[in-house]
Amino acid sequence: MRTQRDVEALLDELEHCIADDLEDQDLDFKQWDTSSRDKAVQKVVQMAVCMTNGGGGTVVYGVADKVKGRESAVLGVPLEIDVNMLKRAVYDQTDPHIMPVFEELHVPEGTGRVLIMQVHPGMPPHTDTKGGGTVRIGKDCQPLTGTMRRKIGVETGETDYTAEAIGRVDESLLSPVAMEALRTLAQRERAPEELLRRPDIELLDTLGLIRNGQMTRAAILLAGTETALREHVPGHLWTFLQMQSDTVYGVREDRVSAIPLSVQRIEDLLVPFNPITTVEQGMFHFEYRTWPEIAVREALMNAFCHLDLRIAGPVMVKLYPQRLEISNNGGFIAGIRENNILHHQPAARNPLLVDALVKLRLVNRTNLGVSRMYSAMLMEGKEPPVIREIGDSVAVIFHQREINAVFRQFVAEESQRGRSLGVDQLLLLQYLLQHAEMDTATAAGLCQRSEAETRELLAHMEQQDYVEHGGSGRGAYWSLYPALYTRLVADGNTDKRRRIDWEAAKTRVLSVLKDRAQRGEEGLRNAEIRHMTRYTRNQVGQLMQELADETGQVEQKGRGAGSRYHWQPSSF
């Protein structure tokens, strides 16, 4: 939720954008309806329901969300509107009851005050007393349909399919091979030996997969026979396709097997198509696969853990000539989206299953799985995975790229120096290897963080001589530190990639204009000056305006793309 200070800062931003651009999962702006008090209060009730179902948030009343300019956008809330009345209305007209907190923020515009409603997350679904309701999804309040209510049930753990009992403990339902594979995978991840040495039934009981003498579906998923899986978890299966084109496949395998056996078999199927590159570093030779094993393992575990077992359809592994796709039925939950998945609080579709895998160290409760996938790819100089929600499914896509041995060695050396590079740093460095520069907004989008957090990160990277910055305010930009670019790329273009200092740029442009004038040649187009300085079109316009004001001898002739800047020698 946003504090009063946060809201004050956001109101200042209205000079440059509309309120709708500032809205997010936990923030909304609403204009107060002055035509009808009852309608305005009802809107407050509806927004309280929407926000609490969506995980809580802040609603700022008294701001038009489609108007640019603070003075025009901030209209305020009538002074006669009593916050205690609003609080009672929300409490009385919601089920279960919601108790928001209202705060007044005094402003110089409009009525002189806006109202801030802070809505804490509850135990959804919440509705109004007539049974209607919405839920916050991104920037919108979406109807609380039957599908949405089921999704909320999943997110709150009330409908954990894997926790349902299937009958009394029956050891014949368990596969000894699956149990052995489970222990092998867990040992590789350094799970407690004391846990793994326990007999099969005791191990499953300790993991919480046997409850009151009843075996759960989660136990069958981890260690069940094929027969048991088909009977008790019919939604669990997987398909591997080695695609020769978008419509033709070579190798295909369809199976129903316990999760540890499934992961092992899919990894085996990938081996012939996941070639090794050997990198020589001094006396040592290091081997790297096209798709790092740790990234593939994490993607597979995520797919099986978050599979919606109520929807018919397999975990699908498609290996194309240039990419690997791993997908599962069941879209994102709990507000997770493609643009926030790196740092979002983790949420489990199948909590009991995930809890058992956490105890075995096969998955991580702190959302490290996604970071590990990103890190494994980025540190080898490859693109990070693309994680997309497609309808009611999620796909993880790895593009095939060659290892960047120079970058991989740099990452290793930095680690040896005690400067291990995190996912955010790797993302920014990889971007700057492909682009001459980036602004803070672009960097924030890459890292899926706020601009304030990103500026702090970039400042720290500047101290480590990874990046340097130029410009100021909204014109600030970041580029790779020249010595680091030379080390990682060595293409001789270090200086060409850098912008010229503002005053130096004026001197250089002015010199070229004078030289062309003396030779009777045409002046410079905006595009030519952009090429010389690496400035944007608008920055070039500002630069040339300053030159015109300072010298009185620079003028622009023509219009549009054909216009040029010329040097006009003084007639005196």
Side-chain angles (χ1 to χ4, degrees), residues 510 513 544-545 547-549 551-556 565-568:
L510 198 58
L513 287 175
M544 299 311 294
Q545 185 61 53
L547 270 178
D549 295 340
T551 66
Q553 294 175 280
V554 173
E555 64 178 359
Q556 185 177 10
Y565 293 96
H566 294 263
W567 168 259
Q568 299 295 325

Side-chain angles (χ1 to χ4, degrees), residues 506-525:
K506 289 182 185 178
T507 303
R508 181 173 178 181
V509 171
L510 198 58
S511 174
V512 174
L513 287 175
K514 288 180 178 179
D515 184 60
R516 289 198 174 193
Q518 291 171 358
R519 290 186 295 179
E521 298 177 356
E522 292 184 313
L524 291 170
R525 291 193 180 95

Side-chain angles (χ1 to χ4, degrees), residues 327-526:
S327 61
N328 63 274
N329 280 330
F332 292 132
I333 61 173
I336 296 174
R337 303 189 300 278
E338 296 171 13
N339 62 356
N340 70 6
I341 193 170
L342 260 176
H343 306 294
H344 196 284
Q345 185 76 8
R349 185 183 306 279
N350 303 303
L352 181 62
L353 174 64
V354 170
D355 186 62
L357 291 170
V358 166
K359 292 175 182 176
L360 293 168
R361 300 187 182 178
L362 295 177
V363 299
N364 191 284
R365 199 188 296 278
T366 56
N367 197 27
L368 291 182
V370 174
S371 295
R372 285 172 177 166
M373 284 190 279
Y374 269 68
S375 181
M377 299 294 288
L378 289 166
M379 68 172 53
E380 294 183 5
K382 302 171 182 176
E383 294 179 24
V386 177
I387 303 177
R388 297 172 54 197
E389 185 176 37
I390 307 171
D392 284 330
S393 67
V394 174
V396 179
I397 305 167
F398 299 100
H399 290 285
Q400 182 174 342
R401 297 291 184 268
E402 294 296 324
I403 185 172
N404 184 331
V406 175
F407 189 80
R408 184 65 184 88
Q409 184 174 358
F410 161 71
V411 172
E413 291 174 356
E414 290 300 286
S415 180
Q416 291 172 359
R417 294 174 58 191
R419 294 167 62 169
S420 296
L421 295 168
V423 171
D424 292 338
Q425 294 168 308
L426 290 169
L427 279 167
L428 298 177
L429 291 176
Q430 285 294 339
Y431 182 88
L432 288 175
L433 283 172
Q434 305 299 322
H435 304 81
E437 60 189 46
M438 64 184 171
D439 56 28
T440 306
T442 299
L446 287 170
C447 296
Q448 301 180 10
R449 293 190 182 276
S450 68
E451 291 196 21
E453 292 174 315
T454 305
R455 277 192 290 270
E456 185 176 344
L457 171 65
L458 286 164
H460 181 63
M461 291 178 68
E462 186 175 28
Q463 294 173 358
Q464 295 176 307
D465 292 338
Y466 293 151
V467 300
E468 63 176 6
H469 85 278
S472 61
R474 292 188 172 273
Y477 64 93
W478 301 84
S479 56
L480 209 58
Y481 193 70
L484 181 58
Y485 180 84
T486 300
R487 174 184 176 185
L488 296 178
V489 182
D491 62 357
N493 291 330
T494 303
D495 291 333
K496 294 180 182 179
R497 289 167 56 93
R498 303 179 70 186
R499 291 195 198 183
I500 303 174
D501 176 79
W502 192 260
E503 293 303 321
K506 289 182 185 178
T507 303
R508 181 173 178 181
V509 171
L510 198 58
S511 174
V512 174
L513 287 175
K514 288 180 178 179
D515 184 60
R516 289 198 174 193
Q518 291 171 358
R519 290 186 295 179
E521 298 177 356
E522 292 184 313
L524 291 170
R525 291 193 180 95
N526 185 291

Side-chain angles (χ1 to χ4, degrees), residues 155-386:
E155 293 171 354
T156 57
E158 293 180 0
T159 57
D160 184 357
Y161 181 75
T162 65
E164 294 177 5
I166 62 167
R168 299 200 61 79
V169 174
D170 183 353
E171 201 158 358
S172 69
L173 299 177
L174 303 180
S175 163
V177 178
M179 288 298 306
E180 186 61 29
L182 184 65
R183 287 188 171 89
T184 299
L185 289 176
Q187 283 176 337
R188 192 181 304 175
E189 298 300 325
R190 298 182 180 178
E193 285 293 335
E194 179 187 354
L195 177 65
L196 301 180
R197 284 197 298 265
R198 297 183 181 187
D200 292 351
I201 297 299
E202 186 179 341
L203 173 59
L204 296 177
D205 187 42
T206 304
L207 294 174
L209 305 180
I210 296 175
R211 295 181 166 182
N212 302 318
Q214 299 280 313
M215 191 172 287
T216 62
R217 285 195 173 95
I220 301 300
L221 282 166
L222 285 185
T225 64
E226 180 178 342
T227 301
L229 285 163
R230 290 185 182 278
E231 179 180 354
H232 298 292
V233 198
H236 172 75
L237 65 156
W238 59 268
T239 295
F240 175 90
L241 293 171
Q242 181 258 320
M243 305 296 296
Q244 297 175 346
S245 69
D246 286 342
T247 57
V248 179
Y249 61 84
V251 178
R252 172 170 184 154
E253 187 163 320
D254 302 270
R255 279 204 185 184
V256 174
S257 54
I259 290 176
L261 291 177
S262 301
V263 171
Q264 286 185 344
R265 179 55 184 163
I266 294 171
E267 288 178 335
D268 290 343
L269 288 168
L270 282 171
V271 168
F273 309 101
N274 194 10
I276 293 174
T277 299
T278 302
V279 176
E280 183 177 348
Q281 294 180 8
M283 299 176 59
F284 301 96
H285 293 73
F286 297 94
E287 296 183 341
Y288 300 94
R289 290 197 176 273
T290 299
W291 294 291
E293 293 176 343
I294 186 173
V296 173
R297 173 77 54 80
E298 293 290 348
L300 289 172
M301 293 303 301
N302 275 350
F304 283 111
C305 284
H306 299 295
L307 175 66
D308 190 336
L309 295 159
R310 292 182 173 88
I311 302 176
V315 167
M316 185 71 72
V317 181
K318 289 185 177 181
L319 177 63
Y320 292 87
Q322 298 299 323
R323 70 184 187 276
L324 171 65
E325 295 185 4
I326 300 172
S327 61
N328 63 274
N329 280 330
F332 292 132
I333 61 173
I336 296 174
R337 303 189 300 278
E338 296 171 13
N339 62 356
N340 70 6
I341 193 170
L342 260 176
H343 306 294
H344 196 284
Q345 185 76 8
R349 185 183 306 279
N350 303 303
L352 181 62
L353 174 64
V354 170
D355 186 62
L357 291 170
V358 166
K359 292 175 182 176
L360 293 168
R361 300 187 182 178
L362 295 177
V363 299
N364 191 284
R365 199 188 296 278
T366 56
N367 197 27
L368 291 182
V370 174
S371 295
R372 285 172 177 166
M373 284 190 279
Y374 269 68
S375 181
M377 299 294 288
L378 289 166
M379 68 172 53
E380 294 183 5
K382 302 171 182 176
E383 294 179 24
V386 177

Side-chain angles (χ1 to χ4, degrees), residues 102-121:
F102 288 90
E103 302 170 1
E104 287 190 354
L105 178 62
H106 297 287
V107 294
E109 300 87 3
T111 64
R113 71 163 183 169
V114 296
L115 292 182
I116 303 171
M117 180 174 73
Q118 307 285 15
V119 183
H120 295 279

